Amino acid sequence: SQCAAVVEADALPPLVQLLSSANIDVAEQAVWAVGNIAGDHPKMRDRVLAQNALPLLCAFLERVAAEGKISPTRNGTWALSNLVRGKPQPQLKDVAPAVPLLAKLLTLDDSEVQADAAWAISYLSDGPNEMIDTVCMAGAVPRLVELCKSGPLAVRLPGIRAISSMMSGSDEATQHVLDHGILEMLPAVLQSAKMQTRKEACWAMSNVAAGTPAQLDLLMNTPLPALVIERFAKDEFDVKKEAGWVVANAMHSYQSEPGARAAAIVARLVELGCIAPMVSMLEANDATMQKLMLDAMTNMMAAGKELGASKGVNVFAVAMDEAEGIDALEKLQEHENEEVYSKAVHLLETYFGAEEEEDENLAPNATSSGFAFGLAAPPAVGATAFGQPAAQPAFAF
């Protein structure tokens, strides 16, 4: 209400004009005021943008950063992050001029500036593909990956959040991030002591698993699937959920393109131990995750049927039984959610019917069967929509 009183008293236009004051101290106080107004609510943010504050704030930042004035640079970067923050997102045309500047601010050797710039980029990346593409083309990705790998702890979370959001965009945006080595640095991120950071890392990989076949192959040909399944089995519930999406998206590849390649991906995940945590997730009081796991199990069992077709068995049936998956499915027949109930019944009737229960030729457990379904080398990926990886932008004001 106090912020609204200031704005309704028509203080915003003169405050915005003071952003370009010749006196740095006056301009910095105006930055602080305008940043607080923009951060109050998306409607206030839009009123600040309507006063043409963003170009003036960017000019202020260019000026103080070039002069090496760290306090106003920090305050300006924080204010800029408030101007691009919030839902609904601001219009791309209103905030696009800030993106190249944010990419340059990441190169400053100051953790506060880096963190606020990374948060700002994460807000922008949490939107439509057009917004994500704008961030990618500004050259922010190489520096974000570098900061996630070796930057201060305060920068890593917004950094991985920004990268994960970008990878939820188009296949081209995902490939752009992959081309800059995101998969190589994710194992270390997965070992972070911060739960939120591990969660973001799993979200990033779920977006890769949902990408093109070549992108999924890149993921599967790294140590990451084993690490993800370890998180899936042992981590906190929020991390388990994101790890479950990685497994489910990878198994969905069999539904998208049934065949030996996709079946091999499913077999690899089973060999790594994905069934037990999938069954455990069925017992969670979360209908969304239960439906996700039921869909993943349907794809898994379909792949298992193909892999055992020559012997007339499903190669994953015993592993499901030993993980008490059949018992878990039977319990879901009493679930109050009709969709969960229907999916569970479909699985039971399709793959664990009376005839299959009586079959003495069920395949042995995956851990002792000796079957090995290696992945073919991933096909070469062509140049992305963003062209050759750009050199790291110089911070030249």
Side-chain angles (χ1 to χ4, degrees):
S1 61
Q2 293 166 339
C3 179
V6 171
V7 174
E8 295 307 323
D10 291 329
L12 190 53
L15 281 171
V16 169
Q17 290 307 309
L18 286 174
L19 295 176
S20 55
S21 171
N23 186 305
I24 291 291
D25 292 334
V26 171
E28 184 177 1
Q29 292 299 311
V31 165
W32 188 23
V34 169
N36 276 320
I37 294 171
D40 188 69
H41 190 274
K43 290 183 179 178
M44 288 294 187
R45 174 205 68 198
D46 291 343
R47 291 184 70 165
V48 173
L49 288 171
Q51 291 291 327
N52 203 38
L54 188 132
L56 295 178
L57 179 56
C58 288
F60 168 84
L61 271 166
E62 295 269 2
R63 172 186 172 191
V64 295
E67 296 175 5
K69 298 182 182 296
I70 195 61
S71 174
T73 302
R74 288 173 175 174
N75 284 329
T77 307
W78 163 80
L80 187 57
S81 74
N82 279 350
L83 278 174
V84 301
R85 182 180 186 177
K87 294 286 189 177
Q89 279 191 317
Q91 295 292 312
L92 176 59
K93 62 180 178 60
D94 293 331
V95 295
V99 179
L101 175 59
L102 288 168
K104 289 196 289 183
L105 289 166
L106 288 173
T107 67
L108 279 182
D109 188 19
D110 183 83
S111 61
E112 286 188 37
V113 172
Q114 291 171 348
D116 281 325
W119 278 119
I121 291 171
S122 77
Y123 303 145
L124 290 166
S125 301
D126 184 20
N129 289 356
E130 184 182 16
M131 190 82 82
I132 294 172
D133 291 346
T134 299
V135 174
C136 288
M137 289 186 286
V141 172
R143 181 59 174 161
L144 281 172
V145 172
E146 180 183 345
L147 289 171
C148 287
K149 185 184 302 182
S150 58
L153 288 175
V155 183
R156 293 183 190 178
L157 177 57
I160 191 66
R161 170 75 61 83
I163 286 171
S164 300
S165 295
M166 289 182 215
M167 297 174 84
S168 69
S170 65
D171 290 339
E172 290 78 13
T174 300
Q175 189 62 47
H176 182 66
V177 178
L178 289 170
D179 288 343
H180 287 92
I182 182 66
L183 295 182
E184 287 77 7
M185 52 77 62
L186 282 178
V189 178
L190 272 176
Q191 306 301 319
S192 171
K194 289 188 173 292
M195 182 274 289
Q196 189 66 30
T197 302
R198 300 193 304 273
K199 177 183 174 183
E200 296 290 341
C202 289
W203 181 37
M205 283 179 282
S206 74
N207 290 327
V208 179
T212 66
Q215 289 167 354
L216 176 56
D217 284 344
L218 284 174
L219 175 64
M220 294 302 299
N221 285 325
T222 70
L224 287 167
L227 296 175
V228 168
I229 291 173
E230 183 181 5
R231 297 297 98 212
F232 193 20
K234 300 177 181 178
D235 216 312
E236 297 179 53
F237 187 69
D238 283 352
V239 180
K240 287 183 177 181
K241 288 202 296 186
E242 295 301 333
W245 276 102
V246 180
V247 173
N249 286 347
M251 288 188 171
H252 183 74
S253 66
Y254 186 82
Q255 179 180 327
S256 301
E257 295 185 26
R261 172 195 158 274
I265 289 173
V266 175
R268 170 87 187 287
L269 295 171
V270 172
E271 289 170 347
L272 291 171
C274 72
I275 291 182
M278 290 172 74
V279 172
S280 177
M281 195 62 75
L282 288 182
E283 299 168 353
N285 186 25
D286 187 322
T288 298
M289 290 308 298
Q290 288 170 324
K291 287 185 281 188
L292 181 70
M293 291 299 100
L294 289 167
D295 287 339
M297 287 178 172
T298 299
N299 291 326
M300 180 184 75
M301 295 306 294
K305 183 178 180 179
E306 176 176 335
L307 292 170
S310 63
K311 297 181 180 180
V313 298
N314 191 309
V315 299
F316 303 140
V318 167
M320 270 289 285
D321 190 27
E322 291 180 347
E324 300 182 356
I326 299 174
D327 292 341
L329 291 173
E330 288 175 344
K331 290 178 183 177
L332 292 180
Q333 292 180 104
E334 301 175 4
H335 202 282
E336 60 185 10
N337 184 295
E338 185 175 350
E339 195 171 354
V340 171
Y341 157 80
S342 298
K343 290 177 182 292
V345 169
H346 171 73
L347 258 169
L348 284 167
E349 291 181 347
T350 305
Y351 298 107
F352 304 102
E355 292 182 3
E356 291 198 22
E357 289 176 3
E358 296 169 3
D359 190 343
E360 296 180 356
N361 295 318
L362 287 173
N365 189 349
T367 58
S368 61
S369 67
F371 61 75
F373 301 98
L375 289 176
V381 179
T384 71
F386 306 108
Q388 297 299 319
Q392 183 173 317
F395 197 70
F397 287 97

